[in-house]
Amino acid sequence: MQVDLATFWPKILEATQETIVMVAIALLFAILIGLPLGISLVVTRKNGLLENGPLFKVLNGIVNFFRSIPFIILLVAILPITRFIVGTSIGTAAAVVPLVFFSAPYIARLVESSLLEVNPGVVEAAESMGATPWQIIYRVFLPEALSSLVLNITIATIGLVGASAMAGFVGGGGLGDLAISYGYQRFETNVMIVTVILLVVIVQTVQTLGNYISKAVRRR
Amino acid sequence: MIELHNIEKVYKKNDQTIRAVDGVNVSIDKGAIYGVIGFSGAGKSTLLRCVNLIERPTSGEVKLDGEDLTQLPKSKLRKERRRIGMIFQHFNLLESKTVYQNVAFPLLLDGQKGKQVEGKVKELLEFVGLADQAGKYPEELSGGQKQRVGIARALVRSPEVLLCDEATSALDPQTTDSILDLLRQIREEYHITILMITHEMQVIREICDRVAVMEDGKVIEEGTVFDIFSSPKHQTTKNFVSSVMNDKIPESILQALDSTRHVYRVTFLREQASEPILYRAATQHHVEVNVLYGQITELQGEPFGSLIVEFIGGEKEIFKALHSIQQSVTVKEVTRDAS
């Protein structure tokens, strides 16, 4: 029994919107957490600007811990935390919390690798000028790594789109949920095809946009 | 101006203790261009970084105008670093910023803005000859131009000291000459004390007043460039000198030496070179002089000669002739075994 796509269309639109909102909000918070975390991983490491072995080990351990939990398990495991933060454990808002927990450590790692690409000689030059660690972070590390940061955040965004498909488990909705509940569980091939096409379009758009911005901030 | 007392830098690497800098004492006068030469791994780069404490020495004192920088708290040290500009072998420019922004960068760190910054940056870009490149990015520049940006950036705060870390080692000979010219100009116009490390003896020859030779973390020889070039003592120093002087006496001449001949190396500098010293001594004391080998080159823009001269005549006359020459030039006997 196939659904009529014409009447089903509003549902697809709504799901698309949910996916975009979920990803956008989760991305925002994941960057807010992941960026400082990634910077901390770079500056506290051995021979870093603010070398701090114990702190580095703790942060490194936390990031690895969250990165090793499959998203579907994380989603359920942190339900109490989700309820504490957003007041409910179901719905789109409730899906955002585990998405942030999933994405922030990932972004931290990506930020870390972007910043490690910055020429240590330039950091040394800034130190020789008497720059404070904070000045080196926001005047040297971040601008010098900006292009690479944009590309890495693009990767993280696409990862989020993928993870958001599982948000249906907590009633988060979105395209992935639609694909699973209608396309997969009810064998609605049409729905499956349309949602997959839409996901492909979203991913392509995000990647193209990311490439474009990365190039634009890369000087000329 | 700069005094380094007993600088030691010890690293631990895989349970091995490496003494990168091992008890170095150096004193640099205001306005001098001081060179430190050594092969890679000699510790000169670490020593240079000890001056502005990018590398903190394990022990020792770094005195700038009598003030020991190693004793300063971090915030004070950062302020003191404004008095010390630094340029690098690989330039270390911010790739994401234009030439103008790179030169203005130290002022930006100081929180300076507006017309004052613009004036200073323009003045320095003019000085290094890059006024028309202000809007370009480092990747669009040649190596020599990048180093000029580095120099402008180092000078923008009007420092009293300029540290040069192999500043010409990544450049071709022609560009090297132009950068050295610029450094000379800096000393003249801005009265800055320059400390440079290099492994190229021609750099020392071109612009340094004094030089220290480093090996295995230690200074093995130190003196005026003239002294080092005219009578190097340590084998490593001799090797460095002969790398640019070609002052090794050819085998053919050495072979022909015996105890009956009187062969001397005569080295001279500047106005000494313009006087017919050898001729005068020869006619005055009735000996003959014969130049066997040698060359005259430039040391810091002045003529510098190193000649192998044979004196022919009576023992007494030769002794007298040598004595009179020694008043104005350096003379050393040449024997077969020691070149």
Side-chain angles (χ1 to χ4, degrees):
Chain A
M1 189 191 81
Q2 298 285 309
V3 293
D4 181 1
L5 268 184
T7 57
F8 204 69
W9 204 241
K11 209 161 187 147
I12 288 176
L13 269 180
E14 191 192 30
T16 308
Q17 210 173 8
E18 278 165 353
T19 292
I20 290 170
V21 168
M22 245 190 310
V23 169
I25 295 174
L27 182 67
L28 178 71
F29 283 101
I31 290 175
L32 286 179
I33 297 166
L35 188 65
L37 196 53
I39 292 169
S40 308
L41 284 171
V42 173
V43 298
T44 59
R45 69 175 46 224
K46 203 171 179 311
N47 297 325
L49 272 183
L50 302 164
E51 185 177 334
N52 186 334
L55 182 60
F56 174 78
K57 280 196 184 113
V58 170
L59 295 177
N60 197 44
I62 291 174
V63 169
N64 280 346
F65 175 77
F66 281 100
R67 296 257 295 126
S68 54
I69 304 172
F71 181 62
I72 192 81
I73 293 169
L74 189 71
L75 193 65
V76 183
I78 64 162
L79 274 177
I81 301 176
T82 305
R83 194 174 300 125
F84 175 75
I85 293 174
V86 294
T88 171
S89 55
I90 50 165
T92 308
V96 167
V97 177
L99 281 174
V100 171
F101 272 80
F102 167 74
S103 195
Y106 185 37
I107 287 180
R109 279 282 177 243
L110 293 169
V111 167
E112 180 189 25
S113 84
S114 281
L115 298 191
L116 288 177
E117 285 165 25
V118 173
N119 176 8
V122 180
V123 177
E124 189 184 41
E127 275 188 291
S128 81
M129 293 171 206
T132 62
W134 175 239
Q135 283 178 320
I136 292 177
I137 289 168
Y138 82 100
R139 296 259 188 230
V140 179
F141 270 124
L142 294 180
E144 289 289 291
L146 189 57
S147 176
S148 157
L149 281 171
V150 169
L151 280 184
N152 273 337
I153 295 227
T154 308
I155 293 175
T157 310
I158 290 169
L160 266 176
V161 173
S164 75
M166 285 169 253
F169 276 86
V170 291
L175 282 172
D177 185 27
L178 205 66
I180 291 168
S181 53
Y182 284 83
Y184 178 66
Q185 284 161 349
R186 296 196 205 163
F187 304 102
E188 306 275 10
T189 316
N190 287 349
V191 179
M192 181 68 105
I193 290 169
V194 171
T195 50
V196 167
I197 287 173
L198 279 170
L199 283 170
V200 168
V201 169
I202 289 175
V203 167
Q204 291 284 1
T205 310
V206 168
Q207 188 65 55
T208 308
L209 203 66
N211 289 347
Y212 175 79
I213 297 172
S214 167
K215 224 178 201 166
V217 298
R218 222 191 113 83
R219 36 214 193 265
R220 297 175 298 156
Chain B
M1 182 78 207
I2 305 170
E3 276 173 85
L4 305 177
H5 284 300
N6 267 320
I7 300 293
E8 280 191 15
K9 179 73 187 185
V10 184
Y11 291 106
K12 283 233 163 66
K13 204 176 181 186
N14 310 329
D15 298 332
Q16 263 190 320
T17 311
I18 299 162
R19 310 185 78 84
V21 179
D22 194 358
V24 169
N25 289 290
V26 167
S27 177
I28 303 167
D29 293 335
K30 201 171 172 65
I33 300 186
Y34 194 101
V36 176
I37 190 162
F39 295 112
S40 51
K44 54 192 192 309
S45 183
T46 310
L47 180 70
L48 186 78
R49 282 162 172 72
C50 282
V51 175
N52 59 3
L53 295 176
I54 288 185
E55 294 266 13
R56 207 162 255 281
T58 315
S59 67
E61 292 177 338
V62 180
K63 285 190 172 169
L64 188 64
D65 276 341
E67 183 182 36
D68 188 0
L69 298 184
T70 61
Q71 299 300 318
L72 295 178
K74 274 188 176 170
S75 59
K76 262 242 170 100
L77 174 63
R78 276 186 212 118
K79 279 224 174 88
E80 287 298 307
R81 281 182 179 157
R82 293 177 193 174
R83 298 170 61 191
I84 310 173
M86 189 169 184
I87 58 174
F88 304 85
Q89 179 175 7
H90 299 293
F91 326 121
N92 295 349
L93 303 177
L94 292 135
E95 294 290 325
S96 62
K97 299 202 162 43
T98 63
V99 167
Y100 180 95
Q101 290 169 322
N102 264 288
V103 177
F105 192 72
L107 300 178
L108 180 78
L109 294 179
D110 296 347
Q112 291 195 47
K113 275 181 196 131
K115 279 257 152 63
Q116 231 181 331
V117 172
E118 205 181 311
K120 190 78 196 169
V121 173
K122 281 196 171 147
E123 173 202 324
L124 278 156
L125 284 176
E126 198 78 51
F127 177 72
V128 299
L130 290 178
D132 52 340
Q133 312 280 329
K136 287 202 173 161
Y137 285 92
E139 65 174 13
E140 301 170 84
L141 304 178
S142 68
Q145 288 173 320
K146 283 185 199 171
Q147 194 57 288
R148 282 166 190 275
V149 177
I151 289 171
R153 180 176 70 176
L155 296 181
V156 77
R157 275 166 169 164
S158 316
E160 294 152 61
V161 176
L162 181 65
L163 306 178
C164 307
D165 176 20
E166 297 273 5
T168 58
S169 300
L171 305 173
D172 60 62
Q174 242 179 333
T175 315
T176 295
D177 282 345
S178 75
I179 294 294
L180 293 180
D181 277 340
L182 187 63
L183 289 177
R184 212 179 281 122
Q185 228 178 311
I186 288 168
R187 190 238 307 253
E188 278 156 25
E189 281 190 35
Y190 295 91
H191 309 291
I192 291 176
T193 309
I194 299 178
L195 171 58
M196 55 193 317
I197 61 162
T198 181
H199 62 263
E200 298 169 311
M201 201 58 176
Q202 71 266 28
V203 171
I204 303 284
R205 180 180 68 182
E206 287 287 323
I207 65 168
C208 291
D209 308 312
R210 286 185 81 86
V211 57
V213 185
M214 267 187 95
E215 195 170 59
D216 294 331
K218 295 189 179 73
V219 171
I220 53 169
E221 207 166 336
E222 202 261 3
T224 65
V225 169
F226 175 72
D227 285 345
I228 296 290
F229 269 81
S230 54
S231 49
K233 290 178 185 69
H234 200 282
Q235 189 53 45
T236 305
T237 315
K238 286 179 185 168
N239 293 344
F240 273 123
V241 171
S242 48
S243 73
V244 290
M245 277 298 290
N246 186 28
D247 65 343
K248 274 215 167 74
I249 303 166
E251 223 24 55
S252 59
I253 292 175
L254 281 177
Q255 287 303 320
L257 291 183
D258 58 54
S259 56
T260 64
R261 297 176 69 180
H262 302 276
V263 180
Y264 292 86
R265 179 195 291 278
V266 178
T267 44
F268 51 88
L269 183 69
R270 266 170 239 147
E271 57 284 347
Q272 298 158 356
S274 61
E275 303 233 341
I277 293 163
L278 287 176
Y279 172 77
R280 256 185 225 157
T283 50
Q284 216 170 5
H285 301 285
H286 309 291
V287 292
E288 288 172 44
V289 291
N290 182 21
V291 177
L292 299 176
Y293 187 71
Q295 71 167 336
I296 297 176
T297 179
E298 275 203 327
L299 210 57
Q300 298 158 285
E302 305 276 5
F304 171 74
S306 172
L307 302 178
I308 306 299
V309 181
E310 179 172 15
F311 291 79
I312 302 160
E315 295 271 341
K316 248 189 186 167
E317 285 76 26
I318 291 176
F319 180 79
K320 279 184 188 162
L322 284 174
H323 189 75
S324 73
I325 298 172
Q326 265 167 340
Q327 305 299 319
S328 45
V329 300
T330 313
V331 181
K332 253 184 17 183
E333 185 163 11
V334 176
T335 51
R336 193 192 281 200
D337 46 333
S339 45

